[in-house]
C-alpha cells in the first residue's frame, strides 16, 4: 500500500483520476455543431471566390473539401480551417489570365512542393519576422483589388484583369446598370450587414445562422420567386472537370508565379494559426486539450493540401480567418470539426448541384466584395499609425494594387527597412540649463553617427558645473560609449559632477564615494550573497558571478562597480536579455570604491549575448579577485538589515521590476493551470536554485525539496507522506514525463549521516535522516560498485555519499506504485543528477532510467555547454 494512501475504507487513492466512460461516437458534439457552422460559411464563399478568380466554380468546392480533409488532418493548427482564401483571389486571377486554368493548377502543385520544402527547413517562425505593416498592407491591397473587380459584377457587367482598367471602365459601367443584378446585390449586402445586428433574444438565436448563408439564400429565394432573369451559378458535370497541366512559358515568369503563390499561401496560413491561438487563449473554459499551433507542421500540411488541390483541379489553399474564427467561436475542440466541414462540402458538391445552380452570380459577387472591403481593416490602420509604420503600410498597399503582389511586398519590405534604419540613425540630443544644472538629453540610439552631436552638446557644459546626462535609448555602440566616458572623466577631473540616468531609472554619480541609501539590485539577482543593505562606500575585494532566471537563455559579460562582495547583477525579462551596449542599469553595478568584473547569466525567453558595459559607472582602481573574500575594511555586513525588511524590499523590487515582465505569462498559467513535464526532487540547500541550473521558468518544473533530497520508501513505519503525496500527484494527476533526483556537493545532510554518533535524542531531524541510512549502507557495501563522476574519483567521503544517495533514492522512487505503473507503461523516465556547487557543474547519471541496482557501475557524466545543440534531444530533463 502506498505511503500516501488514505484510510482503508476508501476504494481509491485521493488523487487518482476517475475512469472515463467510453463515448459511443468518436466525434464530440461541439465539433459536430462547429463543423456545420463552418460549412454553411464556406459553401457560398468558396463559390464566390472561384467566381472572382475566373476559375471553374467547381474549383472552389474542390479547394474547400481538400482544405478541410487534408490540411485539417495534417496541419499543425487543429482548429484552423483552410480552403480557397480571398487573399489568393488576385494571384489566382492573374495566373489564369496569363497561363490558363490547367497551368494555374500546375503552379498550385509547384507552390505546394515549395511549402513542403520550407516546412522541412523549419523556417515557419522566420516567416513571421515580416513587418505586420507589410502583411496588413498586402491584405489591404488585395482587398481593394477584389472590391473594385467585383463591383463590376454587382452592377451587371464583367471585370477586367487590372485595377486601373476596372477603375477606368467604372463610369461606363455605371451608365449601363442591370437593375436585376443591382437589386440582388443590394439585398445580399443588406442582409449581410443587418443580420448580425438583429437585437434582443430573437437576434441571439438568429445569429447562430451565418450571415453569409442568410444573405445568399435570401437573394436566391427572392430571385426565384420574382422570376428575375440574371446570370446564375453554372456547375458543369464533374466528368468534364479539368485537372492540372504543366505550365508553359518563360521559366522566370513561372518561378515568380510559384514564389508569389507560396508567399501569400504561407504567410496567410501562418498568421491565421497565430490568430487562432490568440482566440483560443481568450475563449472561456478550459483549453488544456487543444494543442497550440506547430507552425512548421502547419506549413507541411498546407503544402500537401495545395499539391492535392492543384492536382484535382482546385484553387490554391490557405488558412481562412473567417472560417477559423467561426470554428473557434462555435466551441470546436479538435481537428475533427475542420475535417467534418470538408466532408459536408464533398456531399454538397455531389448532391446539391441543382440547388447551388439557383444562386445568382451577382449575390456571390456582392458577398466577395464585402469580404474584400473588410480586408482593409481600420483597426490595422490605427495600429500601424500608432507604431509609426504608415509608410510601409501605404507603400505595400499601393504596390499591390498598381504593380502586383510580389512587387508590392518587396516595396513594402524596402520601405520598412528604410524606416528602421532612419530610426536607428536618428538621435535627438538637446542641452538646457535649469536652476544652475546643465541637462543633456539624448533620445534615440547612440551610434557612431550621433557622436559629433553628442560631443557638441556635452562641451556646452561649463567646467566645474553640475551636469545631468539622460540616456533615453536602448542601444549604445563603442564609439558613443568612449565619447561619453572620456567627457565624464575630464569633467569630473576639473571639479565638476556628472550624473548619468537611463530609461530604467538607474542613477550614477561620479563624485567621491558617499553613503548611499539606494539599492542597486536588478530583478531576480539574489544569488550572490545579495548584500544590498544600506551601506557606506568603501573599498572591497570580491568578485561576482550573479545569475538571473526566467525562461530561455541569455548571456553577457559586464563591467561596473561593486558593493562589498557583490560584483555582478543579472537582469531578467521575458524575451529580453542584455545585448551589446545596452544602456540603463548594467550588470555588475553598485556603489563604493571598487571595480567589479563579473559574469552575468540570465535565463530569458529568447537568446542574446553581448558585452554590456555601463557608461555610467566610474572607473576606479580597486580590482576584484576570484577568492570570494572581502577585505578587512569592508563596511557591509550580511545582517546589516533585519530579515523582514530585506524580504519586503525584495518583494518591492520584484513588483517594480520583474512583475511587469512576467505578468502575461503568469496570467496564462493562471488560466490554463500548471502543466509541468518534469518532477524535480532536490535538496533544500539554499545554494541550489533549480530554475537557475535548469534554465527553466514558471510552469516548467514541479519541485519537491527536502533535507538531503530523500525519497522515503513506501510503507515504511514513520514514513513521510508529503514526499509520497507529491510523487503521486505529479505522476498520476499532472502526468509528468520524467522524475529527476538531484543531489549536490557539500550536502549537510550527508555530512550529518557520516558524523552521526549512536544514541542521543531522536529529534525531528534525526528521525528524517533515517531515510538516508540505506544510502550509507549502500556505500559501505563492497559488493556494489560505487558511483563516481566521469573522469575522476570522488573528492572525499561526503561526495561519495552524495553520489550514492542519488542512486539509492532512485531505487526508493521505483518502489512507489504510481512510479512503477508509469515505468511499466513507458510513460515515465527516471534521471539522476549531481550538482557540484563549487564548480557550478551539473552531472547526469548515465544509463537507462537511472537503473543501477544490479551491481553495474554508476557514472555521473558532466554536461558541458556544447553537449546539447539547439533542436537536439537529450536523455535528461535539463
Amino acid at each position: 500500500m502506498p505511503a500516501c494512501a488514505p484510510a482503508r475504507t476508501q476504494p481509491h487513492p485521493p488523487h487518482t483520476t476517475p475512469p472515463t466512460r467510453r463515448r459511443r461516437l468518436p466525434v464530440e458534439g461541439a465539433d459536430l455543431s462547429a463543423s456545420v457552422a463552418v460549412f454553411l460559411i464556406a459553401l457560398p464563399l468558396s463559390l464566390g471566390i472561384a467566381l472572382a478568380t475566373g476559375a471553374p466554380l467547381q474549383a472552389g468546392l474542390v479547394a474547400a473539401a481538400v482544405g478541410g480533409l487534408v490540411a485539417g488532418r495534417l496541419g499543425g493548427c487543429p482548429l484552423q480551417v483552410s480552403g480557397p482564401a480571398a487573399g489568393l483571389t488576385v494571384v489566382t486571377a492573374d495566373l489564369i489570365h496569363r497561363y490558363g486554368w490547367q497551368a494555374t493548377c500546375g503552379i498550385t502543385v509547384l507552390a505546394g512542393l515549395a511549402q513542403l520544402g520550407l516546412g522541412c527547413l523549419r523556417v515557419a517562425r522566420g516567416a513571421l519576422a515580416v513587418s505586420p505593416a507589410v502583411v496588413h498592407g498586402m491584405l489591404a491591397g488585395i482587398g481593394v483589388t477584389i472590391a473594385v473587380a467585383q463591383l463590376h459584377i454587382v452592377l451587371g457587367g464583367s471585370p477586367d484583369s487590372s485595377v486601373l482598367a476596372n477603375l477606368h471602365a467604372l463610369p461606363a459601367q455605371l451608365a449601363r446598370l442591370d437593375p436585376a443584378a443591382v437589386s440582388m446585390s443590394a439585398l445580399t449586402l443588406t442582409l449581410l450587414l443587418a443580420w448580425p445586428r438583429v437585437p434582443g433574444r430573437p437576434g441571439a438565436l438568429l445569429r447562430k445562422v451565418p450571415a453569409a448563408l442568410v444573405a445568399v439564400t435570401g437573394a436566391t429565394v427572392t430571385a426565384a420567386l420574382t422570376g428575375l432573369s440574371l446570370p446564375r451559378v453554372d456547375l458543369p458535370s464533374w466528368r468534364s472537370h479539368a485537372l492540372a497541366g504543366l505550365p508553359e512559358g518563360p521559366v522566370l515568369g513561372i518561378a515568380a508565379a510559384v514564389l508569389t503563390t507560396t508567399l501569400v499561401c504561407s504567410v496567410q496560413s501562418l498568421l491565421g494559426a497565430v490568430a487562432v491561438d490568440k482566440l483560443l487563449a481568450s475563449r472561456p473554459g478550459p483549453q488544456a486539450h487543444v494543442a497550440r499551433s506547430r507552425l512548421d507542421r502547419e506549413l507541411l500540411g498546407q503544402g500537401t493540401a495545395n499539391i492535392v488541390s492543384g492536382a484535382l483541379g482546385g484553387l490554391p489553399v490557405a488558412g481562412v480567418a473567417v472560417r477559423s474564427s467561426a470554428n473557434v467561436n462555435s466551441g470546436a475542440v479538435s481537428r475533427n470539426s475542420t475535417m467534418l466541414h470538408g466532408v459536408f462540402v464533398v456531399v454538397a458538391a455531389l448532391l446539391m448541384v441543382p440547388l447551388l445552380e439557383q444562386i445568382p452570380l451577382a449575390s456571390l459577387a456582392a458577398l466577395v466584395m464585402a469580404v474584400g472591403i473588410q480586408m482593409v481593416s481600420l483597426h490595422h490602420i490605427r495600429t500601424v499609425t500608432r507604431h509609426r509604420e504608415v509608410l510601409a503600410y501605404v507603400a505595400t498597399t499601393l504596390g499591390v494594387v498598381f504593380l502586383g503582389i510580389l512587387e508590392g511586398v518587396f516595396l513594402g519590405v524596402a520601405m520598412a527597412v528604410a524606416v528602421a534604419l532612419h530610426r536607428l540613425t536618428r538621435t535627438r540630443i538637446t542641452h538646457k540649463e535649469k536652476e544652475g544644472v546643465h541637462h543633456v538629453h539624448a533620445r534615440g540610439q547612440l551610434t557612431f553617427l550621433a557622436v559629433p552631436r553628442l560631443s557638441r552638446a556635452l562641451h556646452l557644459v561649463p567646467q566645474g558645473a553640475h551636469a545631468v546626462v539622460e540616456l533615453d535609448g536602448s542601444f549604445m555602440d563603442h564609439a558613443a560609449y568612449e565619447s561619453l566616458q572620456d567627457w565624464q572623466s575630464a569633467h569630473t577631473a576639473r571639479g565638476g559632477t556628472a550624473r548619468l540616468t537611463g530609461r530604467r531609472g538607474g542613477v550614477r554619480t561620479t563624485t567621491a564615494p558617499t553613503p548611499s541609501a539606494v539599492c542597486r539590485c536588478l530583478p531576480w539577482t539574489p544569488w550572490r550573497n545579495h548584500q544590498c543593505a544600506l551601506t557606506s562606500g568603501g573599498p572591497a575585494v570580491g568578485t561576482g558571478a550573479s545569475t538571473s532566471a526566467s525562461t530561455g537563455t541569455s548571456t553577457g559579460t559586464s563591467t561596473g562597480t561593486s558593493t562589498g562582495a557583490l560584483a555582478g547583477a543579472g537582469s531578467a525579462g521575458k524575451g529580453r536579455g542584455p545585448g551589446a551596449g545596452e544602456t540603463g542599469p548594467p550588470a555588475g553595478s553598485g556603489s563604493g570604491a571598487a571595480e567589479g568584473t563579473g559574469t552575468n547569466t540570465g535565463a530569458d525567453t529568447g537568446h542574446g549575448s553581448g558585452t554590456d558595459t555601463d557608461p555610467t559607472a566610474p572607473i576606479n582602481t580597486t580590482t576584484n579577485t576570484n577568492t570570494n573574500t572581502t577585505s578587512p575594511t569592508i563596511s557591509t555586513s550580511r545582517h546589516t538589515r533585519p530579515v523582514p525588511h530585506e524580504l519586503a524590499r525584495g518583494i518591492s523590487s520584484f513588483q517594480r521590476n520583474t512583475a511587469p515582465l512576467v505578468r502575461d505569462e503568469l496570467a496564462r498559467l493562471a488560466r490554463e493551470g500548471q502543466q509541468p513535464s518534469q518532477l524535480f526532487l532536490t535538496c533544500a540547500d539554499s545554494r541550489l536554485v533549480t530554475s537557475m541550473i535548469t534554465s527553466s521558468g514558471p510552469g516548467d518544473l514541479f519541485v519537491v525539496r527536502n533535507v538531503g533530497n530523500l525519497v522515503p520508501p513506501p510503507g515504511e513505519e514513520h514514513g513521510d507522506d508529503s514526499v509520497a503525496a507529491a510523487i503521486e500527484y505529479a505522476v498520476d494527476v499532472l502526468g509528468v514525463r520524467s522524475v529527476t533526483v538531484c543531489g549536490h556537493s557539500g550536502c549537510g545532510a550527508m555530512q550529518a549521516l557520516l558524523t552521526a554518533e549512536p544514541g542521543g535524542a531522536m529529534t525531528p531531524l534525526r528521525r528524517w535522516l533515517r531515510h538516508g541510512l540505506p544510502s550509507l549502507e549502500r556505500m559501505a557495501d563492497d559488493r556494489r560498485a560505487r558511483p563516481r563522476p566521469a573522469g575522476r574519483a570522488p573528492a572525499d567521503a561526503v561526495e561519495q555519499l552524495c553520489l550514492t544517495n542519488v542512486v539509492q533514492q532512485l531505487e526508493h522512487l521505483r518502489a512507489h506504485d504510481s512510479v512503477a505503473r508509469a515505468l511499466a507503461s513507458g510513460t515515465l523516465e527516471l534521471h539522476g543528477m549531481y550538482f557540484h556547487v563549487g564548480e557550478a557543474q551539473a552531472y547526469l547519471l548515465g544509463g537507462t532510467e537511472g537503473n543501477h541496482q544490479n551491481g553495474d557501475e554508476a557514472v555521473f557524466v558532466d554536461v558541458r555547454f556544447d553537449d546539447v545543440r539547439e533542436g537536439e534531444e537529450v536523455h535528461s530533463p535539463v
Side-chain angles (χ1 to χ4, degrees), residues 535-555:
T535 61
S536 299
V541 180
T543 91
S546 173
T547 310
S548 63
S550 175
T551 304
T553 313
S554 175
T555 59

Side-chain angles (χ1 to χ4, degrees), residues 493-517:
R494 293 180 175 86
T497 62
R499 188 178 61 168
L500 273 64
T501 65
R503 297 182 64 174
R504 301 180 187 174
V507 178
R508 302 291 183 271
T509 306
T510 62
T511 54
T514 56
S516 173

Side-chain angles (χ1 to χ4, degrees), residues 474-477 504 553-558 571 575-587 600 604 607-615:
S474 59
F475 178 80
M476 176 189 296
D477 69 3
R504 301 180 187 174
T553 313
S554 175
T555 59
T557 56
S558 309
S571 64
R576 298 170 53 191
E582 187 178 57
T583 61
N600 176 18
D604 301 339
H607 304 272
S609 63
T611 301
D612 190 1
T613 309
D614 179 15

Side-chain angles (χ1 to χ4, degrees), residues 80-247:
Q80 174 160 253
V81 182
S82 301
L88 292 163
T89 302
V90 177
V91 179
T92 310
D94 183 61
L95 295 180
I96 295 174
H97 177 73
R98 290 187 181 185
Y99 302 105
W101 169 240
Q102 289 184 294
T104 300
C105 294
I107 291 174
T108 302
V109 173
L110 294 177
L113 292 173
Q115 285 182 295
L116 286 182
L118 294 176
C120 293
L121 293 175
R122 311 181 75 86
V123 298
R125 288 284 175 188
L128 299 180
V130 180
S131 169
V134 175
V135 176
H136 297 322
M138 178 188 72
L139 296 178
I142 293 173
V144 170
T145 305
I146 292 173
V148 172
Q150 297 309 297
L151 181 59
H152 282 269
I153 302 178
V154 166
L155 298 177
S158 58
D160 207 323
S161 58
S162 70
V163 178
L164 290 177
N166 285 325
L167 290 175
H168 185 266
L170 191 57
Q173 183 63 55
L174 290 173
R176 45 185 176 84
L177 296 176
D178 184 344
V182 171
S183 61
M184 290 301 97
S185 299
L187 177 60
T188 301
L189 292 174
T190 301
L191 291 174
L192 193 63
L193 297 176
W195 190 259
R197 293 172 173 79
V198 177
R201 182 175 297 178
L205 296 175
L206 293 175
R207 282 194 294 271
K208 293 183 178 180
V209 182
L213 179 67
V214 172
V216 174
T217 303
T220 302
V221 172
T222 303
L225 294 177
T226 56
L228 293 177
S229 176
L230 70 170
R232 286 178 166 81
V233 170
D234 182 18
L235 292 174
S237 171
W238 286 102
R239 296 179 181 178
S240 60
H241 180 66
L243 302 180
L246 292 177

Side-chain angles (χ1 to χ4, degrees), residues 807-838:
V807 178
Q808 182 63 37
Q809 301 311 314
L810 286 172
E811 190 171 318
H812 292 177
L813 196 59
R814 281 189 292 270
H816 285 262
D817 290 345
S818 56
V819 175
R821 288 193 303 269
L823 288 175
S825 63
T827 59
L828 184 69
E829 293 180 348
L830 301 185
H831 302 285
M833 178 176 169
Y834 175 73
F835 185 76
H836 195 291
V837 177

Side-chain angles (χ1 to χ4, degrees), residues 504-770:
R504 301 180 187 174
V507 178
R508 302 291 183 271
T509 306
T510 62
T511 54
T514 56
S516 173
V518 180
C519 174
R520 309 294 185 189
C521 283
L522 295 175
W524 291 1
T525 57
W527 300 317
R528 185 60 173 81
N529 291 339
H530 202 61
Q531 298 184 10
C532 306
L534 291 174
T535 61
S536 299
V541 180
T543 91
S546 173
T547 310
S548 63
S550 175
T551 304
T553 313
S554 175
T555 59
T557 56
S558 309
T559 304
T561 59
S562 66
T563 302
L566 177 61
S571 64
K574 185 174 180 61
R576 298 170 53 191
E582 187 178 57
T583 61
S589 61
S591 62
E595 178 185 356
T597 302
T599 300
N600 176 18
T601 304
D604 301 339
T605 298
H607 304 272
S609 63
T611 301
D612 190 1
T613 309
D614 179 15
T616 68
I619 297 178
N620 299 292
T621 57
T622 307
T623 305
N624 288 347
T625 67
N626 284 325
T627 57
N628 196 22
T629 59
T630 57
S631 68
T633 59
I634 188 169
S635 59
T636 303
S637 170
R638 186 183 180 97
H639 303 290
T640 303
R641 289 183 177 184
V643 172
H645 189 82
E646 291 184 0
L647 180 63
R649 180 187 50 75
I651 296 173
S652 175
S653 177
F654 167 81
Q655 293 297 148
R656 179 176 62 258
N657 299 313
T658 306
L661 304 177
V662 299
R663 184 169 287 119
D664 291 343
E665 176 66 9
L666 292 179
R668 182 187 67 81
L669 291 172
R671 290 192 307 268
E672 300 177 1
Q674 62 168 330
Q675 302 175 43
S677 60
Q678 301 148 9
L679 167 61
F680 198 84
L681 197 151
T682 189
C683 185
D685 193 294
S686 63
R687 296 168 294 180
L688 249 66
V689 183
T690 57
S691 58
M692 176 181 70
I693 63 178
T694 61
S695 293
S696 57
D700 292 339
L701 300 181
F702 188 75
V703 181
V704 176
R705 307 188 68 156
N706 60 50
V707 176
N709 48 275
L710 301 177
V711 180
E716 182 175 315
E717 186 179 0
H718 303 299
D720 182 86
D721 286 348
S722 65
V723 178
I727 294 171
E728 182 182 352
Y729 184 77
V731 175
D732 289 346
V733 179
L734 297 179
V736 297
R737 299 189 299 272
S738 70
V739 181
T740 300
V741 177
C742 177
H744 68 97
S745 62
C747 181
M750 300 300 103
Q751 295 179 19
L753 281 172
L754 284 172
T755 58
E757 298 181 358
M762 290 299 294
T763 64
L765 179 60
R766 295 193 66 174
R767 283 197 299 271
W768 170 253
L769 289 180
R770 288 189 305 171

